[in-house]
Amino acid sequence: MDDLSENRDFIRDIVRADLDAGRVSSVVTRFPPEPNGYLHIGHAKSICLNFGIAKEFGGRCHLRFDDTNPSKEEQEYIDAIQADVRWLGFDWGTHLHHASDYFDQTYAWAEQLIEKGLAYVDDLTADQMREYRGTLTEPGRNSPHRDRSAAENLDLFRRMRAGEFPDGAKVLRAKIDMAAGNINLRDPALYRIQHAPHPRTGTRWCIYPTYDFAHGQSDAIEGITHSICTLEFEDHRPLYDWFIANLPVPSKPHQYEFARLNLTGVVLSKRHLIELVNSGKVDGWNDPRMPTISGLRRRGVPAAAIRAFCEAIGVSKANSTVETGYFDHFVREHLNRYSLRRMAVLKPLKLIIENYPGGQSEEMEAVNNPEDAAAGSRKVPFSRELWIEQDDFMETPVKGFFRLSPGVEVRLRYAYFVKCTGVEKDAAGAITAVRCTYDPATHGGDAPDKRKVKATLHWVSANHASEAEVRLYDYETVEASPEIVEHAYLEPALAATAPGETVQFERLGYFCRDNTGRATNALSFHRTIGLRDTWAKVKAKS
Ligand code: ATP
Ligand code: MG
């Protein structure tokens, strides 16, 4: 078990108290996605909570698909959800379940409610039903079909199942109270007709239980001890409890609600994300700009950073919105610790070292990760012609610009001090190259006479560079096209970066090698996140 004292929230308190008092002998939780889209970062909060609690308290967590609405559900989503939960680092063992596994039982329970006079078949249209339901301030009215006999209801329900009626013609409803203050108790729908094939049960059924009628009973069948869900289901709890009280279920789960994750500037709703995908504004569910788990993975965000974030935000009953910068902070923190450092030039400017012989080159020793000695070092080739960033040179430096300009000496990281002697220009007056001399005594990047320079630049040897396409995504406006750098120059070691691996381009940010294999360019990276951690600064100030 992990250190429990570190993980304190009201749900864990309840779990601990239930175990201590012997109300439950072993904790069983579940993560219950509806397979109608890909998972997003909000779902990660629920996954970390449910699987985390099971792990910490020595219990188990099920993955259960709430697959009750075949018109919106697809096998692609079922597969993607499993891949995402696994990637996040969680394992449901043998406990992969589906609400559809219980369709026979759910149907039998519906018949039992009919026999007890607690459910009836209604012929009202969806519009009429809405009209009869009343409002928050006005009670609803009874449907004219509410007092059908149990025998008639049973006959109609069986004929619904047999496929005698078209979609929407009839609905099985619970008979509770049309005047209830809680609208969820005003005779909610239990079964709807839907002539649609189901990803798992095929055409065996043409009636499907509603989410509300399947969810709590699925928990009861699986022996879930703590049914954890988000606050919007708080008002549904009395209904779930009514089903549990009126059906011969094998166990009585308790539901606890927590606040969903909201992030500033990010829309976490499957419906919205589906629109982005369908409109073609993004390159699928795993577009690096998407707040989906698969989008974050493709973007280069490590699973461990998502877990650390979910742990840090904690769990409460009060709705709130978390700064997206706070999430970014965990991404940077993880990448800073674990990613390899490499040199890449995105906006290249030629640097010619006048006193370095052409045709000569040497290998400089470069540290792979200053945060991790075990990551070792690599050799970076150095030669007479290098690429540096255009932004690192100014012919006429403005006040406060300490990088390269005529007469100024700077350090080339891991290599030498160089001093600018002038520039080369084309006929139009644009700078085509910067010229300099190097000091051989500064090999490795330090001067024996201890003289200082005010800047250290990254660079790439022109003759040894690999060319790459680099995409600079703006994660704040999902629909904006990325800025594409078509001819970036990379140090040779970057050609060996594995697809999907994220490295730090020194001084530029963290970049992930794309694994989609764009045909035009074998080497393609995109920015996972910049280096600047504004959240850490804000925190330091306060
Ligand atoms: P969305 O609102 O994005 O369409 P959903 O709630 O319909 O999502 P489900 O598949 O029903 O998606 O969600 C599975 C589980 O994840 C549910 O228990 C739900 O409460 C939880 N969940 C969904 N969104 C969030 C969120 N933003 N923060 C925390 N948990 C969430
Ligand atoms: Mg839902």
Side-chain angles (χ1 to χ4, degrees), residues 418-435:
V418 291
K419 190 170 192 170
C420 179
T421 54
V423 296
E424 292 178 7
K425 293 184 179 178
D426 62 16
I431 295 172
T432 53
V434 174
R435 301 186 71 86

Side-chain angles (χ1 to χ4, degrees), residues 147-160:
D147 293 318
R148 281 175 165 153
S149 70
E152 189 185 354
N153 281 319
L154 208 51
D155 174 59
L156 287 171
F157 187 48
R158 287 177 179 169
R159 287 165 59 195
M160 279 168 66

Side-chain angles (χ1 to χ4, degrees), residues 59-85:
R60 64 172 200 261
C61 180
H62 299 185
L63 175 63
R64 183 177 67 242
F65 287 102
D66 267 321
D67 54 350
T68 54
N69 185 359
S71 66
K72 290 191 175 164
E73 296 161 6
E74 290 174 23
Q75 189 62 39
E76 178 196 346
Y77 299 144
I78 295 180
D79 297 340
I81 288 170
Q82 293 188 46
D84 286 349
V85 175

